[in-house]
Amino acid sequence: MQKSVKHKIVILGCGNVAWHLAKHFSNLKNFQVYIYNHHENVLLNDFRTKLKCSTSDSFNDIIADADFYFICVTDKFISSAVKKINPINTNSIIMHTSGSAKIEELGKLNNIAVFYPLQTFSKSIDVNWNDTPIVIEAKKISVKKKIIVLAKLFSKNVVSLNYKERLKLHLAAVLVNNFTNSLFVAAGDLIEESSVNTKFKILLPLIKQTVIKIENSDPRSVQTGPAKRNDDTVMKKHIKLLSQDRSLKKIYKQLSELIVKQQTKKHA
Amino acid sequence: MQKSVKHKIVILGCGNVAWHLAKHFSNLKNFQVYIYNHHENVLLNDFRTKLKCSTSDSFNDIIADADFYFICVTDKFISSAVKKINPINTNSIIMHTSGSAKIEELGKLNNIAVFYPLQTFSKSIDVNWNDTPIVIEAKKISVKKKIIVLAKLFSKNVVSLNYKERLKLHLAAVLVNNFTNSLFVAAGDLIEESSVNTKFKILLPLIKQTVIKIENSDPRSVQTGPAKRNDDTVMKKHIKLLSQDRSLKKIYKQLSELIVKQQTKKHA
């Protein structure tokens, strides 16, 4: 990429990934960011006022003349989004940012790629891009080289994976982020229903320690708790506490069984 | 507690909680730590050599003459452990450190208490005691006052809760620590079976961000992922990937349903 020329980025979509990509590009020199969304909405307003991006709800000439397109929409809308793009610049590259969609969702063009940041994005919470792994895939070597340069403007950790590897990584991300967060929600609900004086916050030092423990150790080796030590007395008390909550009770039993199995595997 | 006199601490048990209590007391002035375990083993050796504690496998006169007893054994052995203690000092206080055992497990004495640190302990990993909440319970006010003083030597966050509240907190701790860690294990297994080039470590920035997000936000409000957005296309792909792993597949489905339910509750 030439340093002196402004590169034009078009982001399709206005969700959390679009937001954090746009925010980062807006802070870089030599990039102009345009947001396309099929209809005007309140989110686009934030892109204009807070990130100073241009936005559009129609595919006009400006949008058609970009260097890089990021399709940041739900998987099932990627293929219809890509059809709207009819780039003037034949060297422009079209990417999606999904961990779970094949590169072929972008069609049969050559200038296509995947740019999947392995991260959880919420609009209001800052992201440390530099540490966030970016998983890439491309059809052509020349395209791959270009998106590696682009990805390195975000992260020190750019990884090239095929679809199957990326999908497994995406599933792993769901386990460690989405499911972990849902356990945090469940724990907060439990605590706050039982006592007016204790709140979810009381769990934060434990949660932080859970992560500190795995920074330098294999998670299997630092597992603790009643399931790990086959402590039926304690597990029965917990299950009794959950008698009114069938789904959490099931999850309790199954995750306890998973722990037992995982610990057996360790010694196998 | 008088500053000039050495207080004698006896810890029953030689597991992870015993280790970290002994380590902290050994670093404090005015405390002598004795470890009792019903048989000599390799763990006791570490207490002697690394923490400079005295150890014993019989209830001799030294052990009988303590100020504070900490029973750090699995719940079902608390009542038999307490029977071994026949303190000379009638003011000595006997505590267990369990989140899930009633105070009555310690018998019908008055000088009994609960000292439950809400934390995950692995021997090789340091603990930030100062942030670790210590949940206490006592029968007598005078005893409670003494263990509050003792607990404050460990932590700035000492909380008095009744049994039911403590048990719920313990269950919440299992959710956010034990189960979260088992999801980390499962994620690591998934990644490492799929690719030689990617390891569990690639998930660390995501895992750290998962915790950063909840430090100042309600976990329900920062939930992301396919279940949250009812993205069946993606969830089906994940479930297909898990076709060989019946138990993880079940857990996937149930935690996804839990997320849907939690998000509905938010808007209710």
Side-chain angles (χ1 to χ4, degrees):
Chain A
M1 278 175 279
Q2 290 168 280
K3 290 264 166 180
S4 54
V5 183
K6 279 247 180 191
H7 298 283
K8 200 189 273 183
I9 304 285
V10 167
I11 296 172
L12 289 84
C14 54
N16 294 326
V17 176
W19 179 264
H20 283 282
L21 282 179
K23 194 174 172 187
H24 188 74
F25 274 122
S26 303
N27 288 330
L28 294 174
K29 281 180 190 169
N30 300 320
F31 287 93
Q32 281 182 297
V33 185
Y34 296 84
I35 310 296
Y36 167 82
N37 198 54
H38 60 100
H39 62 278
E40 174 63 34
N41 65 22
V42 66
L43 295 169
L44 286 181
N45 196 40
D46 272 358
F47 280 89
R48 283 191 296 269
T49 57
K50 293 182 183 161
L51 303 183
K52 312 293 173 205
C53 298
S54 304
T55 70
S56 173
D57 58 1
S58 71
F59 246 87
N60 54 30
D61 288 356
I62 298 169
I63 300 289
D65 186 29
D67 300 294
F68 298 99
Y69 292 89
F70 285 91
I71 302 182
C72 303
V73 301
T74 305
D75 285 13
K76 62 178 168 233
F77 298 125
I78 292 173
S79 64
S80 57
V82 77
K83 281 176 195 141
K84 292 184 183 168
I85 306 172
N86 194 8
I88 294 167
N89 176 353
T90 53
N91 285 320
S92 67
I93 295 175
I94 301 175
M95 290 163 272
H96 74 60
T97 56
S98 165
S100 44
K102 288 185 180 170
I103 192 170
E104 288 80 10
E105 295 286 323
L106 297 170
K108 294 182 176 177
L109 305 161
N110 274 322
N111 287 356
I112 55 175
V114 176
F115 185 105
Y116 165 53
L118 181 63
Q119 191 51 279
T120 171
F121 296 98
S122 290
K123 206 173 150 186
S124 61
I125 296 167
D126 285 342
V127 163
N128 177 345
W129 271 110
N130 193 40
D131 285 338
T132 298
I134 294 179
V135 179
I136 58 155
E137 189 184 345
K139 287 265 180 185
K140 275 173 69 180
I141 298 273
S142 61
V143 172
K144 193 176 204 169
K145 281 181 180 166
K146 280 186 189 170
I147 58 163
I148 287 174
V149 172
L150 200 67
K152 285 192 170 166
L153 296 173
F154 283 75
S155 168
K156 60 172 193 248
N157 191 8
V158 180
V159 194
S160 175
L161 294 180
N162 65 33
Y163 171 66
K164 207 181 162 187
E165 291 167 325
R166 175 162 45 89
L167 184 61
K168 280 219 175 176
L169 197 56
H170 185 252
L171 171 55
V174 166
L175 300 186
V176 304
N177 169 267
N178 302 167
F179 290 173
T180 289
N181 193 71
S182 79
L183 292 170
F184 296 164
V185 176
D189 288 351
L190 263 175
I191 289 177
E192 292 178 14
E193 82 186 15
S194 88
S195 165
V196 284
N197 297 318
T198 46
K199 298 281 174 209
F200 175 72
K201 295 273 171 209
I202 199 174
L203 294 171
L204 280 179
L206 173 62
I207 290 172
K208 285 184 193 171
Q209 184 71 358
T210 306
V211 176
I212 288 169
K213 284 174 83 168
I214 57 155
E215 284 188 58
N216 296 302
S217 304
D218 172 24
R220 196 177 249 106
S221 71
V222 295
Q223 183 72 54
T224 57
K228 194 230 164 170
R229 43 174 211 273
N230 286 305
D231 191 334
D232 284 334
T233 317
V234 175
M235 287 193 279
K236 276 180 191 157
K237 285 181 185 176
H238 288 161
I239 289 165
K240 201 177 159 194
L241 263 191
L242 293 172
S243 58
Q244 298 303 311
D245 189 337
R246 266 190 73 219
S247 64
L248 198 54
K249 190 169 81 177
K250 262 195 200 167
I251 289 166
Y252 183 95
K253 286 181 181 173
Q254 283 174 359
L255 282 168
S256 295
E257 281 169 25
L258 181 68
I259 291 171
V260 173
K261 225 169 74 174
Q262 286 170 340
Q263 294 297 313
T264 315
K265 201 174 160 190
K266 172 186 173 183
H267 302 294
Chain B
M1 278 174 278
Q2 291 168 282
K3 289 264 166 180
S4 54
V5 183
K6 278 249 180 189
H7 297 284
K8 200 189 272 183
I9 304 286
V10 167
I11 295 172
L12 289 84
C14 53
N16 295 326
V17 177
W19 178 265
H20 283 282
L21 282 179
K23 193 174 172 188
H24 189 74
F25 275 123
S26 303
N27 288 331
L28 294 175
K29 281 180 190 170
N30 299 320
F31 287 93
Q32 281 182 299
V33 185
Y34 295 84
I35 310 295
Y36 166 83
N37 198 54
H38 59 99
H39 61 278
E40 174 63 33
N41 65 21
V42 67
L43 295 169
L44 286 180
N45 197 40
D46 272 358
F47 280 89
R48 283 191 296 270
T49 57
K50 294 183 181 159
L51 302 184
K52 312 293 174 205
C53 298
S54 304
T55 71
S56 173
D57 58 2
S58 71
F59 247 86
N60 54 31
D61 289 355
I62 298 169
I63 300 288
D65 186 29
D67 299 295
F68 297 99
Y69 292 89
F70 284 91
I71 302 182
C72 303
V73 300
T74 306
D75 285 13
K76 62 176 168 236
F77 297 127
I78 291 173
S79 63
S80 57
V82 77
K83 281 176 195 140
K84 292 183 182 166
I85 306 171
N86 194 7
I88 294 167
N89 176 351
T90 52
N91 286 320
S92 67
I93 294 174
I94 300 174
M95 289 163 272
H96 75 60
T97 56
S98 165
S100 44
K102 288 185 180 171
I103 192 170
E104 287 80 9
E105 294 286 322
L106 297 170
K108 293 183 177 177
L109 303 162
N110 274 322
N111 287 356
I112 55 176
V114 176
F115 185 105
Y116 165 53
L118 182 63
Q119 191 50 280
T120 170
F121 296 99
S122 290
K123 205 173 150 186
S124 61
I125 296 166
D126 284 342
V127 164
N128 177 346
W129 271 110
N130 193 40
D131 285 339
T132 298
I134 295 181
V135 179
I136 58 154
E137 189 183 346
K139 287 265 182 187
K140 274 174 69 181
I141 298 272
S142 61
V143 172
K144 194 175 203 168
K145 281 182 180 166
K146 279 187 189 169
I147 59 163
I148 287 174
V149 173
L150 200 68
K152 285 192 170 168
L153 297 173
F154 282 75
S155 169
K156 60 173 192 250
N157 190 8
V158 180
V159 194
S160 175
L161 295 180
N162 65 33
Y163 171 65
K164 207 181 161 188
E165 290 168 325
R166 175 162 45 89
L167 184 61
K168 280 220 174 176
L169 197 56
H170 185 252
L171 170 56
V174 166
L175 301 186
V176 304
N177 169 267
N178 302 168
F179 291 173
T180 289
N181 192 71
S182 79
L183 292 170
F184 295 164
V185 175
D189 288 351
L190 264 175
I191 289 177
E192 292 177 14
E193 83 186 16
S194 88
S195 164
V196 284
N197 296 318
T198 45
K199 299 280 173 208
F200 174 71
K201 295 273 172 209
I202 199 175
L203 294 171
L204 280 179
L206 173 61
I207 290 171
K208 285 183 194 171
Q209 184 72 358
T210 306
V211 175
I212 289 169
K213 284 174 83 169
I214 57 154
E215 284 188 56
N216 296 303
S217 305
D218 171 24
R220 196 176 248 107
S221 72
V222 296
Q223 183 71 54
T224 58
K228 194 229 163 170
R229 45 173 208 273
N230 286 305
D231 191 334
D232 284 334
T233 316
V234 175
M235 288 192 279
K236 276 180 190 156
K237 285 181 185 176
H238 288 161
I239 288 165
K240 200 177 161 193
L241 263 191
L242 293 172
S243 59
Q244 300 302 310
D245 189 338
R246 265 189 75 219
S247 64
L248 199 55
K249 191 169 80 176
K250 262 194 202 169
I251 289 165
Y252 182 95
K253 286 180 181 175
Q254 282 173 0
L255 282 169
S256 295
E257 281 168 25
L258 181 68
I259 290 171
V260 173
K261 224 168 72 174
Q262 286 170 340
Q263 294 297 313
T264 315
K265 201 173 161 191
K266 173 186 171 184
H267 302 294

